[in-house]
PDB file of all heavy atoms in Angstrom:
ATOM      1  N   GLY A1294      50.786 144.265  10.915  1.00 58.00           N
ATOM      2  CA  GLY A1294      50.509 145.689  11.052  1.00 58.00           C
ATOM      3  C   GLY A1294      50.844 146.454   9.784  1.00 58.00           C
ATOM      4  O   GLY A1294      51.379 145.905   8.827  1.00 58.00           O
ATOM      5  N   ARG A1297      54.741 147.636   6.898  1.00 76.00           N
ATOM      6  CA  ARG A1297      55.699 146.568   6.589  1.00 76.00           C
ATOM      7  C   ARG A1297      56.047 146.598   5.109  1.00 76.00           C
ATOM      8  O   ARG A1297      55.219 146.909   4.272  1.00 76.00           O
ATOM      9  CB  ARG A1297      55.130 145.205   6.934  1.00 76.00           C
ATOM     10  CG  ARG A1297      54.925 145.027   8.410  1.00 76.00           C
ATOM     11  CD  ARG A1297      54.418 143.659   8.711  1.00 76.00           C
ATOM     12  NE  ARG A1297      54.082 143.564  10.123  1.00 76.00           N
ATOM     13  CZ  ARG A1297      53.786 142.446  10.725  1.00 76.00           C
ATOM     14  NH1 ARG A1297      53.802 141.318  10.052  1.00 76.00           N
ATOM     15  NH2 ARG A1297      53.484 142.425  11.995  1.00 76.00           N
ATOM     16  N   SER A1298      57.286 146.242   4.802  1.00 80.00           N
ATOM     17  CA  SER A1298      57.715 146.229   3.409  1.00 80.00           C
ATOM     18  C   SER A1298      58.344 144.893   3.019  1.00 80.00           C
ATOM     19  O   SER A1298      58.777 144.724   1.895  1.00 80.00           O
ATOM     20  CB  SER A1298      58.711 147.363   3.154  1.00 80.00           C
ATOM     21  OG  SER A1298      59.845 147.204   3.989  1.00 80.00           O
ATOM     22  N   LEU A1302      59.995 134.135   4.386  1.00 81.00           N
ATOM     23  CA  LEU A1302      59.534 132.757   4.286  1.00 81.00           C
ATOM     24  C   LEU A1302      60.702 131.815   4.507  1.00 81.00           C
ATOM     25  O   LEU A1302      61.848 132.167   4.238  1.00 81.00           O
ATOM     26  CB  LEU A1302      58.932 132.496   2.900  1.00 81.00           C
ATOM     27  CG  LEU A1302      57.806 133.427   2.473  1.00 81.00           C
ATOM     28  CD1 LEU A1302      57.441 133.157   1.020  1.00 81.00           C
ATOM     29  CD2 LEU A1302      56.609 133.227   3.367  1.00 81.00           C
ATOM     30  N   ALA A1308      54.856 126.149  -0.513  1.00 80.00           N
ATOM     31  CA  ALA A1308      53.766 127.039  -0.105  1.00 80.00           C
ATOM     32  C   ALA A1308      53.101 127.657  -1.322  1.00 80.00           C
ATOM     33  O   ALA A1308      53.705 127.802  -2.374  1.00 80.00           O
ATOM     34  CB  ALA A1308      54.316 128.146   0.796  1.00 80.00           C
ATOM     35  N   ASP A1334      24.236 139.919  13.872  1.00 97.00           N
ATOM     36  CA  ASP A1334      23.076 139.520  13.066  1.00 97.00           C
ATOM     37  C   ASP A1334      23.426 139.358  11.589  1.00 97.00           C
ATOM     38  O   ASP A1334      22.891 138.471  10.910  1.00 97.00           O
ATOM     39  CB  ASP A1334      21.935 140.527  13.229  1.00 97.00           C
ATOM     40  CG  ASP A1334      21.361 140.519  14.635  1.00 97.00           C
ATOM     41  OD1 ASP A1334      21.490 139.492  15.334  1.00 97.00           O
ATOM     42  OD2 ASP A1334      20.791 141.544  15.049  1.00 97.00           O
ATOM     43  N   GLU A1347      21.513 130.279  -0.733  1.00 84.00           N
ATOM     44  CA  GLU A1347      20.681 131.392  -1.206  1.00 84.00           C
ATOM     45  C   GLU A1347      21.421 132.400  -2.082  1.00 84.00           C
ATOM     46  O   GLU A1347      20.953 132.727  -3.163  1.00 84.00           O
ATOM     47  CB  GLU A1347      20.098 132.169  -0.012  1.00 84.00           C
ATOM     48  CG  GLU A1347      18.898 131.550   0.620  1.00 84.00           C
ATOM     49  CD  GLU A1347      18.428 132.380   1.795  1.00 84.00           C
ATOM     50  OE1 GLU A1347      18.195 133.595   1.636  1.00 84.00           O
ATOM     51  OE2 GLU A1347      18.300 131.802   2.888  1.00 84.00           O
ATOM     52  N   PRO A1356      35.820 120.428  -6.567  1.00 88.00           N
ATOM     53  CA  PRO A1356      35.445 119.053  -6.227  1.00 88.00           C
ATOM     54  C   PRO A1356      34.594 119.010  -4.955  1.00 88.00           C
ATOM     55  O   PRO A1356      34.702 119.866  -4.091  1.00 88.00           O
ATOM     56  CB  PRO A1356      36.800 118.379  -5.981  1.00 88.00           C
ATOM     57  CG  PRO A1356      37.686 119.496  -5.515  1.00 88.00           C
ATOM     58  CD  PRO A1356      37.204 120.722  -6.253  1.00 88.00           C
ATOM     59  N   THR A1358      31.282 118.740  -2.261  1.00 84.00           N
ATOM     60  CA  THR A1358      30.152 119.593  -1.926  1.00 84.00           C
ATOM     61  C   THR A1358      30.614 120.798  -1.125  1.00 84.00           C
ATOM     62  O   THR A1358      31.756 120.849  -0.655  1.00 84.00           O
ATOM     63  CB  THR A1358      29.109 118.805  -1.104  1.00 84.00           C
ATOM     64  OG1 THR A1358      29.739 118.338   0.084  1.00 84.00           O
ATOM     65  CG2 THR A1358      28.560 117.629  -1.877  1.00 84.00           C
ATOM     66  N   GLU A1364      29.091 125.745  13.580  1.00 97.00           N
ATOM     67  CA  GLU A1364      28.048 126.360  14.393  1.00 97.00           C
ATOM     68  C   GLU A1364      28.566 127.665  14.983  1.00 97.00           C
ATOM     69  O   GLU A1364      29.749 127.771  15.309  1.00 97.00           O
ATOM     70  CB  GLU A1364      27.637 125.424  15.533  1.00 97.00           C
ATOM     71  CG  GLU A1364      26.937 124.161  15.081  1.00 97.00           C
ATOM     72  CD  GLU A1364      25.578 124.455  14.456  1.00 97.00           C
ATOM     73  OE1 GLU A1364      24.882 125.386  14.916  1.00 97.00           O
ATOM     74  OE2 GLU A1364      25.220 123.746  13.505  1.00 97.00           O
ATOM     75  N   PRO A1369      26.943 136.358  21.536  1.00 96.00           N
ATOM     76  CA  PRO A1369      26.984 137.270  20.381  1.00 96.00           C
ATOM     77  C   PRO A1369      28.421 137.617  19.982  1.00 96.00           C
ATOM     78  O   PRO A1369      29.283 137.808  20.844  1.00 96.00           O
ATOM     79  CB  PRO A1369      26.252 138.516  20.868  1.00 96.00           C
ATOM     80  CG  PRO A1369      25.439 138.072  22.029  1.00 96.00           C
ATOM     81  CD  PRO A1369      26.192 136.934  22.656  1.00 96.00           C
TER      82      PRO A1369
END
Side-chain angles (χ1 to χ4, degrees):
R1297 294 182 187 190
S1298 60
L1302 305 173
D1334 293 336
E1347 280 179 54
T1358 59
E1364 293 294 324

